[in-house]
Amino acid sequence: MKKLLILGAGGFGQMIQETAIQLGYEEVVFLDDAVKGADVVGKCCDYQAFLEEYDTAVAGLGNNQMRLYWTEKLLEAGYNVPAIIHPSAVVSPSAKIGHGSFIMQRAVVNTHVVIEDGVLVNSGAVVDHDSHVASGAHIGLGSVVKANCTIEPKRKVEAGEVVFSTRRKIDGVGNLNLEDALYAFGFGPQCSYVKPFGEGHINETYAVYMPGEAGDEFCYILQRVNSNVFKDPAGVMDNIFHVTEYLRNVIREEGGDPDRETLSAIKTKDGSTYFEDSEGQPWRSYHYIPNSVCYQLVEDPEQFYQSGNSFGHFLKQLGDYPASDLNETIPDFHNTVKRFETFEFALKRDIKNRAISCRKEIEFVLKRKEDCGVLVTQQEEGVLPLRVTHNDTKLNNILFDAETGKGLCIIDLDTIMPGLAANDFGDSIRFGAATAAEDEKDLDLMHFDLSLYETYVRGYLEATKDVLTPEEIESLPWGARLMTLECGMRFLTDYLQGDTYFKTTYPEHNLVRARTQFRLVDEMEQQFDQMQEIVHKYCS
C-alpha cells in the first residue's frame, strides 16, 4: 500500500492530502500539534515513531521557515521525502525538483529550472526557464518568476508579483557592491538615485532616494561598515537592534515618537541584520529621519546644552538595560591604559619612520602615563559602575529637530557597549567645547571653552543627576581630560602606524588632529579646578 505522512493538517496540508490521493497514495495521514481528527495520528514531534509504518513523509506547512525545517528533519530521520506535483501542473522534463517541494494546480515550471528542497510553487504560478528557486521559498498564487531569476532561500514571492531577472540602472550607483546592497535591502526595484551622505571618518554612507507623491524623497540611509574597525559586524548589529528596540518601548512610555527619537534599523530581505558584499564587507540600513539636522561644530551654546541633555537622557533611558548583555564589539575601546600601551607599541615599531616628525607630541603623551589609569582603576575597583554607553558622543552624533532646535535622536550606535558615564561625558566635551575643528592646522584657533563646558554640564546633569552616583559625578571632569588625551593618542598612534584606522585626506592629517587634542588637554589641565567647581554647582 502506498502511504504518505504529512506534517501539518491545516489548509495547505489538506491541499497536499487531496493531491496525494490523486497521485495514487492510498493512505494519507497527518501529524499536527493543534488540529484533531480521525486522520491525525500524532504530533509533529512524534515523527520518528512513525518511520517504520510510514516511510514516506512531507512537511505540508505554509510557513517557509517551518516547511524547510521539517523537510530537513524528515530527511535526517531517514524518510523518503518526495516532491508532490499536482496532475494539472506543467513541469519540464529538464527541471529539477528538490525533496519535499510542492508544485500546485496549473503551476508551470519551465526548462532547466532548479527548484531546491522545501519549495512551494503555488497554484497558477510560473517559474520561467533557467531560473533557480532556493530552499524554502514560496512562489505565490499566480505570480511570475521570469527567466534567469534567482529566488533567495525562504523568500516569499507575493501573489501576482512579477520577478524580473535584470536590474535597473540606478543613478549614483558606480559599483556592483553598492548595487547588490540596494537589492539586498529591497530598495533596488524602485530606488530613484543614491548619493554620498555625511562626514564620518570611518564608514561609507549613502542617502537612498525613493519615488514619492511629491517627487523623489530621501527615505533610507545605506552604509558600508569599515570591517577593519568593526571586526564583529554581527555583534555590532545585534547590539544596535536590541538597544533601539528597547528604546522604542521606553520612548512610547514617555509619550514620545519612537519613529523619530531613536534609530530604526532595517533587516535585509532574507531577515539578516546586515548584508555582506562580494568583498566580505558588511552593509546596513536605517530609515532616514526627516526634518532633522546635524551639526559638525557648536554654532550656538543652546545646541551644546541640548547635546548634554540628549546624551544624558540617552544614558538615563538605558539605565535599566543590562549592560552585560551587550557584545563588547571593540574590546577595551575606552581603556585608556590599553590605548597608552598600543601607543607605546606603535612608537617602538615606528613602521613608517614618522616618529622623528612628532617628537614634541610623543613627549606630551609619555608625560601623562599615570593619568591614563585614573578612571580605569576606579572601574576595576568597583567605584565606578559600568553602564550602557554610546562611546562616541560627538555633537554630530545627535540629530536635532529642524523646527524646534531640540535634541531629537542619538545616532551612530556602532560603539554602544558597556562603559563609564565619564567617558561619554568626556568625549562630548572634547568635541563640543573646542573652538575649532579637530583637524584645524592653526593651533592659535584651538582652545578649550570653559563657558561651553559649563553649558554642557548644566544640560547633562539636568538629565542625569538623579541617576549618577556621587563618584560618577566626581569623575566627569576627569572624563573630559582623559577622553581628549585618549583621542589624541589614537590619532597619534594611527599616524605612527600609517593611517589605517581614521580616514585621512593628506599625509599629516592624523598628526594635525593629535595636536589639536593635546592643545585642549593642556588647557583643561590649567582650568581643572574650575571644571570641578562647575560640576559641583550643577549637581547640588
Side-chain angles (χ1 to χ4, degrees), residues 177 180-181 184-185 233 268 272 274-284:
N177 287 326
D180 286 343
F185 285 97
T268 65
S272 300
Y274 68 98
F275 164 71
E276 188 173 288
D277 66 23
S278 62
E279 298 175 8
Q281 298 299 306
W283 294 74
R284 42 97 180 286

Side-chain angles (χ1 to χ4, degrees), residues 9 14 17 28-42:
Q14 299 290 330
Q17 183 187 49
V28 183
V29 297
F30 296 99
L31 298 181
D32 195 285
D33 293 342
V35 178
K36 294 182 178 180
D39 53 0
V40 178
V41 297

Side-chain angles (χ1 to χ4, degrees), residues 349-355 495-499:
R349 298 181 73 190
D350 192 20
I351 60 175
K352 297 294 182 179
N353 293 318
R354 288 178 166 181
Y495 176 71
L496 294 170
Q497 292 176 331
D499 309 314

Side-chain angles (χ1 to χ4, degrees), residues 143-159:
S143 60
V144 177
V145 176
K146 304 200 78 172
N148 298 294
C149 286
T150 298
I151 304 299
E152 299 86 354
K154 294 184 279 190
R155 173 182 171 182
K156 182 179 181 182
V157 176
E158 296 294 344

Side-chain angles (χ1 to χ4, degrees), residues 206-257:
Y206 297 89
V208 180
Y209 288 79
M210 305 289 281
E213 293 181 2
D216 293 332
E217 298 177 359
F218 184 178
C219 292
Y220 306 105
I221 301 291
L222 185 63
Q223 194 169 60
R224 190 185 198 189
V225 181
N226 187 336
S227 60
N228 291 323
V229 176
F230 301 105
K231 300 182 186 300
D232 179 16
V236 168
M237 294 311 300
D238 185 63
N239 284 354
I240 290 173
F241 271 92
H242 281 93
V243 166
T244 54
E245 288 169 3
Y246 178 89
L247 282 171
R248 288 182 70 86
N249 290 326
V250 173
I251 292 164
R252 283 193 190 94
E253 291 173 0
E254 294 175 340
D257 183 351

Side-chain angles (χ1 to χ4, degrees), residues 352-366:
K352 297 294 182 179
N353 293 318
R354 288 178 166 181
I356 194 171
S357 65
C358 53
R359 292 296 182 192
K360 181 179 177 181
E361 291 74 23
I362 290 169
E363 188 63 26
F364 185 92
V365 174
L366 292 174

Side-chain angles (χ1 to χ4, degrees), residues 493-507:
T493 299
D494 202 31
Y495 176 71
L496 294 170
Q497 292 176 331
D499 309 314
T500 61
Y501 187 94
F502 297 103
K503 288 182 181 178
T504 57
T505 57
Y506 56 92

